[in-house]
Amino acid sequence: MNTVGSLNEENHEINLSCYIDSFPILKNPVRDKRLVYLDTAASAQKPDIVINTINDFYKTEYANIHRGVYWLSERATVKYEMARKKVAEFLDAASETEIVFTKSATESINLVASSWGGKNLSTNDEVIITELEHHANIVPWHILRESTGIVIKSVRLDDNGCIDLNHFYELLSEKTKLLSLTHASNALGIIPPIKEMISAAHSLGALVLIDGCQGAVHQPVSVQDMDADFYVFSGHKLYGPTGIGVLYAKSNILQDMPPYQGGGDMIVTVSTQESTYADPPLRFEAGTPNIVGAIGLSAAIDFVTNIGMHNISNYEDTLLKYGREKLGELNYIKFYGDASNKASIISFDIDGVHPHDVGTILDQDGISVRVGHHCAQPVMQHFGIAGTVRASFALYNTKEDIDLLINGVEKVRSIFT
Amino acid sequence: MNTVGSLNEENHEINLSCYIDSFPILKNPVRDKRLVYLDTAASAQKPDIVINTINDFYKTEYANIHRGVYWLSERATVKYEMARKKVAEFLDAASETEIVFTKSATESINLVASSWGGKNLSTNDEVIITELEHHANIVPWHILRESTGIVIKSVRLDDNGCIDLNHFYELLSEKTKLLSLTHASNALGIIPPIKEMISAAHSLGALVLIDGCQGAVHQPVSVQDMDADFYVFSGHKLYGPTGIGVLYAKSNILQDMPPYQGGGDMIVTVSTQESTYADPPLRFEAGTPNIVGAIGLSAAIDFVTNIGMHNISNYEDTLLKYGREKLGELNYIKFYGDASNKASIISFDIDGVHPHDVGTILDQDGISVRVGHHCAQPVMQHFGIAGTVRASFALYNTKEDIDLLINGVEKVRSIFT
Amino acid sequence: MLDLRELYQEVILDHGKSPRNFGQLEDKNTEAHGHNPLCGDTITIYLHITDEIIKDIRFEGKGCAISLASASMMTELLKGKTTKEASKLFGKFHALVAEDKEVNNFETDNEEFEKLHVLAGVKEYPMRVKCATLPWHTFKAAVENNNGKVSTE
Amino acid sequence: MLDLRELYQEVILDHGKSPRNFGQLEDKNTEAHGHNPLCGDTITIYLHITDEIIKDIRFEGKGCAISLASASMMTELLKGKTTKEASKLFGKFHALVAEDKEVNNFETDNEEFEKLHVLAGVKEYPMRVKCATLPWHTFKAAVENNNGKVSTE
Ligand SMILES: Cc1ncc(COP(=O)(O)O)c(C=O)c1O
Ligand SMILES: Cc1ncc(COP(=O)(O)O)c(C=O)c1O
């Protein structure tokens, strides 16, 4: 894996097709057809290096961490902590002590809501979210509202599905304590102007959480540069294993947060009546963590950084442009969230066909797209629809995949007319 | 794997040595010595079937679950839900809807404390724990106490480290709302009289949570027979992957519990201002769960049920007896928690040698034991010590492992005298 | 295995595009509302039941082709049946589209029920099974509403 | 690589069993308390510092052989040194037992410091490194206590 793709001489587009072979699942036919996997926004497929790392670790190095003084446990601990360091570098965090391993981005946001929110927010404090958010960045605030009486304000979208910035500035005030914002919409691909919004929020003293599930997988991220106070993402969307997520939080903020869950490894002393708690990040990692998940994620980060997040981003942009063009030639397609700067996600529907029927029929040809509300019902409510068809592109997709999608869409349409 | 061990004709002891080959890590030397792994109570090594299931699933069947209508996602969903069913059978639950997948036993207990406890407990309600508990069954109650004002009472141990039943009956009263009790002590191996304690608690209207981390791995469990209201365990201690845990709760109790974390998959509808929640178990599984973790756990359950939990229990008892006898012949060994009916755990120290020095020196010979407080500081406080040396035995251990442990212990002693 | 595209064609031609018994029912004496959270589909079943006989049945709602077709075919099948017969038919339909076991007893099916066999293809799509069964579950809820209390309308 | 058993023998013989400078210090003017949560070990360092010179140093506590020996050797090494020299020696010791890089500049070590090389074997045991460094961290805290405020004792 030494080459970083190759340049197509004609139009200077980057080509990552040399990496497709790294993904064993893509070699397995589905319903006797080649798998055309267009659901990476839900979860990415895994390269050999990730699968083999997991396999080898269980076969040769496995042990529980942090408390054992024997060789295997010492080694496992070092590898787990090296994974933390790798994540810190990947996000350009100031220190690896700012990285907490969780089970998922969803848990990371719940941790912030419960621990930071539970301590710092009270009646009438305002949390601003947007209509672009995934349920993972909505429901935790509803749950927090029940115990604290916070007020949740939601930034509207314009007709394209972009953030209505005027509305954002209307909502933003001294009462705002937190802006919790997606780095990129999983339902539409839309990327909000996060830098502007972060600095506006900061100027009024609010903190900012960025839900990086679709952002960190698509482009290089520097939490220091964007000045996010919290940043979360999920390993399984970054070509890593399931059951591992990340919470980044600035040191001084993390230091002041009370524990979220209690148990082994997050304590200094325990009696039956009192506990004292360890420093971050361990304070937030109660119990045996997903050791192998963290180590698998570390391998995934090696994989993508070896290719280069810039290259991935460029390549995915190429696919997005091509897909948008090709689908745009079909006059019965309606797009949702059409914009130029997007994560590599196209959301659309076919006139007269329910998205679920589209999904089922495409699947007959091995074409795997997601249909429905994509855990982002407010986006659907905004457009007044029940769901969309969503094709999302990853480094292992090709223009041929898109051509096959187009064929499939044409078939669907022909069945229904 | 068709034989279920073989009987030793002389003394009718069961022999599971045919399964040792299933554990690849045991074939790898550590520090050029054969690995003698005696830390299963912290985490078990993984058999081929678990490692290969994970490997194969990522290579041929991986996708996100519950929302996709395409083939891979449908299949993955079926497998994930089959894993739930398998866990239900393993615990003899009345229905698989009583099984919630979490990231660990620690999270399972935190979920109960936060959701059930947060809703049902208030000032001066009493939760009874014992001095035998792992921190995972202590700290969550400390955290809950902060928001609710509950009172935590702790049952004392006798000189052997067994539950002081008189003290338990003294503490038990109409104020008791929950008894949260370990199925077996991870620090000592002691097994409390859980049936008696459960029915005593029930007779006063209290619910009972059983921390099954060391119980479910050692003997057949029937949650219906023991009549536990909640039962938790961790996959990684049952020869399964890291990052997957289980919460069992009776249907009617689970049905009344509010969500713990918010996000995708646990909702029915979401707007930016309101959410409605799904039925259990999905209500408690916000976000993308550890799909592959659940499927790996399912393979682990296949592995142990194929051997038979009864056989595992008998075999481990044999090892325990042998180890206790052999160590007992050394007059400088002090035992903690010496009893006849135990999980396969021996906790001891060597006169005049700090447990950490014991651990480091044994490790020179590839002998991996745990030393320290084992995340059970109240047990250590009870005995007035900083820690112990703990050897725990699993189905892949042998009498030869114990002989090597004895050799190692003799060496340690000789260095220090 | 049915090719779903065939299924789709038949369904679409026959029921999806022009569903039977679609719309309000003036003299309903019970109704129920169903919702499929996966896709946001909704359906309302209206019933007029007298002496345990389904005198009339109509439905309204939004949904995918499969749920519309299933609802349409269901109303055709159930009109005039007793609630007991309907409940038996639901069992059969459930076995047809949702249950793992090979269902062999369909040689006993009458012609009426056989029409529903075109929906058997969804069995392979657990996520879509709900689309096919939603109308039936909603029908069942409507009957139970009627049993529980006299409808006030 | 040092065989840890050799390390243990030397340590035990030399310091573990009869630690030097063990016990209270009557005329201390600063002290600090250290705790290793991994093993529950505790240590207290007592110092008498005048004009930035460590006039006297003693320690008390419970711990494994490695932490006792490390504390014992540290007190021997630091007595009479300036706090500046001590801080330099901590840096060197830390590099010796805790840092990944090969430390090559030890040919410059004087004989006094070389005694501490027996502890280098813990580097392979990240969990045990804390045992060796705990006395030093506690010493540092004691010096800082003394800088921060005049000890009231
Ligand atoms: C009795 C007991 N309870 C709880 C736990 C916590 O398990 P986990 O760390 O997997 O959450 C353990 C594991 O050490 C245990 O032995
Ligand atoms: C933008 C966004 N936020 C949050 C999530 C939740 O991630 P997970 O389910 O891995 O917790 C997702 C995944 O669908 C997402 O796309």
Side-chain angles (χ1 to χ4, degrees):
Chain A
M1 232 188 297
N2 288 319
T3 59
V4 180
S6 56
L7 285 175
N8 174 328
E9 287 308 318
E10 267 169 70
N11 48 12
H12 301 283
E13 282 170 359
I14 192 144
N15 181 346
L16 299 183
S17 56
C18 53
Y19 294 102
I20 295 176
D21 271 353
S22 308
F23 292 85
I25 203 170
L26 300 178
K27 293 165 200 157
N28 281 323
V30 152
R31 301 190 188 278
D32 300 325
K33 305 276 164 57
R34 172 162 94 69
L35 171 60
V36 177
Y37 187 76
L38 300 174
D39 196 21
T40 299
S43 199
Q45 296 298 343
K46 319 305 174 197
D48 277 324
I49 184 179
V50 168
I51 301 172
N52 294 342
T53 297
I54 294 169
N55 201 60
D56 294 351
F57 187 79
Y58 277 131
K59 284 194 169 166
T60 62
E61 301 182 292
Y62 180 75
N64 209 332
I65 58 168
H66 282 156
R67 311 215 78 92
V69 301
Y70 54 88
W71 192 82
L72 282 175
S73 178
E74 300 255 15
R75 283 277 300 235
T77 304
V78 167
K79 287 214 158 178
Y80 180 78
E81 291 302 330
M82 271 169 43
R84 194 192 303 282
K85 209 160 181 165
K86 191 145 284 167
V87 171
E89 283 163 19
F90 179 69
L91 293 180
D92 188 31
S95 158
E96 68 264 25
T97 60
E98 298 176 320
I99 303 299
V100 176
F101 282 122
T102 62
K103 70 177 171 189
S104 63
T106 297
E107 174 164 74
S108 301
I109 298 174
N110 279 277
L111 194 167
V112 173
S114 172
S115 167
W116 178 84
K119 179 175 177 187
N120 294 292
L121 301 185
S122 52
T123 323
N124 295 330
D125 282 345
E126 295 183 2
V127 170
I128 296 185
I129 60 174
T130 80
E131 287 182 2
L132 272 187
E133 303 311 316
H134 187 279
H135 295 167
N137 196 20
I138 302 175
V139 187
W141 309 111
H142 292 176
I143 292 176
L144 179 66
R145 185 176 51 189
E146 269 170 47
S147 57
T148 58
I150 58 164
V151 173
I152 299 163
K153 303 240 156 161
S154 179
V155 183
R156 278 194 303 259
L157 308 181
D158 67 17
D159 291 348
N160 263 338
C162 295
I163 296 284
D164 177 343
L165 269 182
N166 289 333
H167 191 227
F168 168 63
Y169 285 110
E170 267 171 48
L171 296 182
L172 190 66
S173 77
E174 248 106 50
K175 287 194 201 151
T176 310
K177 295 293 177 275
L178 181 76
L179 166 64
S180 199
L181 177 65
T182 193
H183 198 171
S185 154
N186 72 304
L188 304 176
I190 295 288
I191 297 178
I194 60 161
K195 275 202 158 185
E196 173 176 349
M197 292 173 76
I198 289 173
S199 73
H202 280 168
S203 72
L204 283 168
L207 298 191
V208 182
L209 183 154
I210 300 295
D211 172 358
C213 280
Q214 303 296 337
V217 304
H218 177 65
Q219 60 197 53
V221 169
S222 167
V223 288
Q224 294 189 81
D225 182 53
M226 71 171 67
D227 201 18
D229 300 290
F230 303 102
Y231 192 94
V232 309
F233 74 92
S234 269
H236 69 94
K237 294 186 203 260
L238 189 72
Y239 311 99
T242 58
I244 189 79
V246 167
L247 165 63
Y248 158 84
K250 285 181 184 162
S251 276
N252 59 324
I253 297 170
L254 211 51
Q255 192 69 50
D256 276 352
M257 283 164 53
Y260 174 54
Q261 301 178 329
D265 248 26
M266 52 71 77
I267 56 92
V268 176
T269 58
V270 175
S271 72
T272 59
Q273 290 304 324
E274 298 297 336
S275 320
T276 59
Y277 303 123
D279 283 337
L282 291 194
R283 187 190 299 159
F284 303 102
E285 294 181 6
T288 304
N290 190 348
I291 301 164
V292 184
I295 289 165
L297 173 58
S298 174
I301 291 177
D302 280 340
F303 179 76
V304 294
T305 53
N306 185 50
I307 300 175
M309 286 306 298
H310 274 295
N311 292 316
I312 291 173
S313 189
N314 287 343
Y315 181 66
E316 290 179 355
D317 287 347
T318 308
L319 292 178
L320 181 71
K321 203 167 142 237
Y322 183 76
R324 174 63 184 79
E325 243 172 61
K326 286 286 172 180
L327 278 168
E329 287 166 10
L330 309 176
N331 63 5
Y332 46 82
I333 295 286
K334 177 161 181 201
F335 294 98
Y336 298 95
D338 217 12
S340 52
N341 177 29
K342 296 217 309 179
S344 52
I345 288 168
I346 302 182
S347 220
F348 64 94
D349 67 16
I350 300 179
D351 188 33
V353 193
H354 191 286
H356 276 77
D357 294 322
V358 179
T360 300
I361 297 171
L362 288 179
D363 179 53
Q364 295 293 304
D365 288 332
I367 301 165
S368 305
V369 296
R370 180 125 315 203
V371 295
H373 56 61
H374 318 299
C375 295
Q377 290 185 2
V379 172
M380 303 303 131
Q381 289 150 13
H382 171 74
F383 288 114
I385 54 180
T388 72
V389 181
R390 181 185 75 184
S392 52
F393 311 117
L395 66 91
Y396 41 65
N397 291 120
T398 59
K399 288 186 177 173
E400 199 201 324
D401 289 347
I402 292 170
D403 293 337
L404 289 167
L405 170 66
I406 301 291
N407 280 351
V409 166
E410 286 174 332
K411 268 193 211 169
V412 173
R413 173 71 178 180
S414 76
I415 290 174
F416 277 78
T417 43
Chain B
M1 233 188 295
N2 288 321
T3 60
V4 181
S6 55
L7 283 175
N8 173 326
E9 287 307 318
E10 268 169 73
N11 47 13
H12 300 283
E13 283 170 359
I14 192 143
N15 181 347
L16 300 182
S17 56
C18 52
Y19 294 102
I20 295 175
D21 271 354
S22 308
F23 292 85
I25 202 169
L26 300 178
K27 293 166 200 156
N28 281 322
V30 153
R31 301 190 188 279
D32 300 325
K33 304 277 164 57
R34 172 162 93 69
L35 171 62
V36 178
Y37 187 76
L38 300 174
D39 196 21
T40 299
S43 199
Q45 296 298 342
K46 318 306 174 197
D48 278 323
I49 184 181
V50 168
I51 301 172
N52 294 342
T53 297
I54 293 169
N55 200 61
D56 294 350
F57 187 79
Y58 278 131
K59 284 194 169 167
T60 62
E61 301 183 291
Y62 180 75
N64 209 332
I65 58 167
H66 282 156
R67 312 214 77 93
V69 301
Y70 54 87
W71 192 81
L72 283 175
S73 178
E74 300 255 15
R75 282 277 300 232
T77 305
V78 168
K79 286 214 160 180
Y80 180 78
E81 292 302 331
M82 269 168 44
R84 193 192 304 281
K85 207 158 181 168
K86 191 147 283 169
V87 171
E89 282 163 19
F90 179 68
L91 294 180
D92 188 30
S95 158
E96 68 264 26
T97 59
E98 299 177 318
I99 303 299
V100 176
F101 283 122
T102 62
K103 71 177 171 189
S104 63
T106 298
E107 175 165 74
S108 300
I109 299 174
N110 279 276
L111 194 167
V112 174
S114 173
S115 168
W116 178 85
K119 179 172 176 191
N120 295 290
L121 301 185
S122 52
T123 323
N124 295 329
D125 282 345
E126 295 183 2
V127 171
I128 296 184
I129 60 174
T130 80
E131 287 182 4
L132 272 187
E133 303 310 316
H134 186 279
H135 295 167
N137 197 19
I138 301 175
V139 188
W141 308 112
H142 291 175
I143 293 176
L144 179 67
R145 185 175 52 190
E146 269 170 47
S147 57
T148 58
I150 57 164
V151 173
I152 298 164
K153 303 242 156 159
S154 179
V155 183
R156 277 194 304 258
L157 308 182
D158 67 17
D159 291 348
N160 263 338
C162 295
I163 295 284
D164 177 344
L165 269 182
N166 289 333
H167 190 226
F168 168 63
Y169 284 111
E170 266 171 48
L171 296 182
L172 190 66
S173 77
E174 247 105 50
K175 286 193 200 153
T176 310
K177 295 293 178 273
L178 182 76
L179 166 64
S180 199
L181 176 67
T182 192
H183 198 170
S185 153
N186 72 305
L188 304 176
I190 295 287
I191 297 179
I194 61 163
K195 275 203 158 185
E196 173 176 350
M197 293 173 77
I198 290 173
S199 72
H202 281 168
S203 71
L204 283 168
L207 299 190
V208 182
L209 182 153
I210 300 294
D211 172 357
C213 280
Q214 304 295 338
V217 304
H218 177 65
Q219 60 198 52
V221 169
S222 167
V223 289
Q224 294 189 81
D225 182 52
M226 73 170 68
D227 201 18
D229 300 290
F230 303 101
Y231 191 95
V232 310
F233 74 92
S234 269
H236 69 93
K237 294 185 203 259
L238 188 70
Y239 311 99
T242 58
I244 188 80
V246 167
L247 166 63
Y248 157 83
K250 285 180 185 161
S251 276
N252 58 326
I253 298 170
L254 211 50
Q255 193 68 49
D256 276 351
M257 283 164 55
Y260 174 53
Q261 301 179 328
D265 249 24
M266 53 71 76
I267 56 92
V268 176
T269 58
V270 174
S271 73
T272 59
Q273 290 303 325
E274 297 298 337
S275 321
T276 59
Y277 304 122
D279 282 338
L282 290 194
R283 187 191 299 159
F284 303 102
E285 294 181 6
T288 304
N290 190 349
I291 301 164
V292 184
I295 289 165
L297 173 57
S298 174
I301 290 177
D302 280 340
F303 179 76
V304 293
T305 52
N306 184 49
I307 301 175
M309 287 305 299
H310 273 295
N311 293 316
I312 292 173
S313 189
N314 286 343
Y315 181 66
E316 290 179 355
D317 287 346
T318 309
L319 292 178
L320 181 71
K321 201 165 143 240
Y322 183 77
R324 174 65 184 79
E325 242 172 61
K326 285 285 171 179
L327 278 168
E329 288 166 11
L330 309 176
N331 63 6
Y332 47 83
I333 295 287
K334 177 162 179 199
F335 293 98
Y336 297 96
D338 218 11
S340 53
N341 178 29
K342 297 217 308 178
S344 52
I345 289 169
I346 302 182
S347 219
F348 64 96
D349 66 17
I350 300 179
D351 188 34
V353 192
H354 191 286
H356 276 76
D357 294 323
V358 178
T360 299
I361 298 171
L362 288 179
D363 180 51
Q364 295 293 305
D365 289 332
I367 301 164
S368 304
V369 296
R370 180 124 315 202
V371 295
H373 56 60
H374 318 298
C375 296
Q377 290 185 2
V379 172
M380 303 304 132
Q381 289 151 14
H382 170 74
F383 287 113
I385 54 181
T388 72
V389 181
R390 182 185 74 184
S392 52
F393 310 117
L395 66 91
Y396 41 65
N397 292 119
T398 60
K399 288 187 177 173
E400 199 201 324
D401 289 346
I402 292 170
D403 293 337
L404 288 166
L405 170 65
I406 301 291
N407 280 351
V409 165
E410 286 175 334
K411 267 192 212 169
V412 172
R413 172 72 176 180
S414 76
I415 291 174
F416 276 78
T417 42
Chain C
M1 172 190 136
L2 257 173
D3 182 329
L4 253 201
R5 254 180 319 247
E6 289 168 31
L7 159 64
Y8 265 103
Q9 279 163 357
E10 210 169 324
V11 165
I12 297 315
L13 292 178
D14 198 23
H15 290 268
K17 285 178 147 187
S18 51
R20 323 293 193 270
N21 303 308
F22 189 89
Q24 292 257 355
L25 179 62
E26 293 283 297
D27 62 341
K28 69 194 169 194
N29 56 9
T30 181
E31 66 180 271
H33 190 74
H35 175 238
N36 182 348
L38 176 66
C39 51
D41 288 356
T42 56
I43 190 169
T44 309
I45 302 280
Y46 305 104
L47 290 176
H48 184 100
I49 299 180
T50 317
D51 299 336
E52 317 245 301
I53 291 169
I54 300 160
K55 296 286 187 186
D56 208 353
I57 174 169
R58 292 178 74 76
F59 79 103
E60 264 188 336
K62 277 190 191 182
C64 62
I66 289 174
S67 71
L68 288 178
S70 176
S72 169
M73 287 189 274
M74 177 186 80
T75 56
E76 283 202 309
L77 180 66
L78 296 186
K79 201 184 285 189
K81 298 278 191 304
T82 65
T83 53
K84 229 181 183 162
E85 283 170 319
S87 148
K88 254 194 178 158
L89 288 165
F90 185 10
K92 256 174 135 174
F93 181 71
H94 197 269
L96 178 71
V97 299
E99 284 165 33
D100 239 7
K101 49 179 179 280
E102 270 306 316
V103 189
N104 290 319
N105 61 337
F106 286 127
E107 55 261 28
T108 67
D109 288 349
N110 57 19
E111 220 177 297
E112 253 187 309
F113 187 84
E114 249 168 36
K115 287 189 193 161
L116 273 59
H117 280 225
V118 291
L119 289 169
V122 298
K123 187 182 289 190
E124 266 208 77
Y125 300 77
M127 299 292 140
R128 305 303 308 279
V129 166
K130 284 179 199 153
C131 304
T133 56
L134 179 66
W136 288 83
H137 283 288
T138 312
F139 162 75
K140 191 165 165 249
V143 172
E144 281 160 9
N145 279 347
N146 183 250
N147 287 343
K149 56 182 163 79
V150 180
S151 174
T152 48
E153 289 162 311
Chain D
M1 170 190 137
L2 257 174
D3 182 327
L4 252 201
R5 251 179 323 243
E6 289 169 32
L7 158 66
Y8 264 104
Q9 279 163 357
E10 211 171 322
V11 164
I12 297 315
L13 292 178
D14 199 23
H15 289 270
K17 285 180 143 184
S18 51
R20 323 293 194 269
N21 303 307
F22 189 89
Q24 291 258 355
L25 179 61
E26 292 283 298
D27 62 341
K28 69 193 170 196
N29 57 9
T30 180
E31 66 180 270
H33 190 74
H35 175 239
N36 182 347
L38 175 65
C39 52
D41 288 355
T42 55
I43 190 170
T44 309
I45 302 280
Y46 305 104
L47 290 176
H48 184 101
I49 299 180
T50 317
D51 297 338
E52 316 244 304
I53 292 169
I54 300 160
K55 295 287 188 186
D56 207 355
I57 174 169
R58 292 178 73 76
F59 79 102
E60 263 188 337
K62 276 190 192 183
C64 62
I66 289 174
S67 71
L68 287 178
S70 176
S72 169
M73 287 189 274
M74 177 187 80
T75 56
E76 281 201 311
L77 181 67
L78 296 186
K79 200 182 287 189
K81 298 279 190 305
T82 65
T83 52
K84 231 182 182 162
E85 284 169 319
S87 149
K88 254 192 176 161
L89 287 165
F90 185 10
K92 257 175 133 172
F93 181 69
H94 198 270
L96 178 72
V97 300
E99 284 166 34
D100 239 9
K101 50 180 177 281
E102 269 307 312
V103 189
N104 290 319
N105 61 338
F106 286 129
E107 56 262 26
T108 68
D109 288 349
N110 57 21
E111 217 177 300
E112 251 187 311
F113 187 84
E114 250 168 35
K115 286 186 192 160
L116 274 58
H117 281 224
V118 292
L119 289 170
V122 298
K123 188 182 288 191
E124 265 207 78
Y125 298 79
M127 298 293 140
R128 304 303 308 277
V129 166
K130 284 178 200 154
C131 304
T133 56
L134 179 66
W136 288 83
H137 283 289
T138 311
F139 161 75
K140 193 166 162 247
V143 173
E144 280 161 10
N145 279 348
N146 183 250
N147 286 345
K149 54 182 165 79
V150 179
S151 173
T152 48
E153 291 161 308

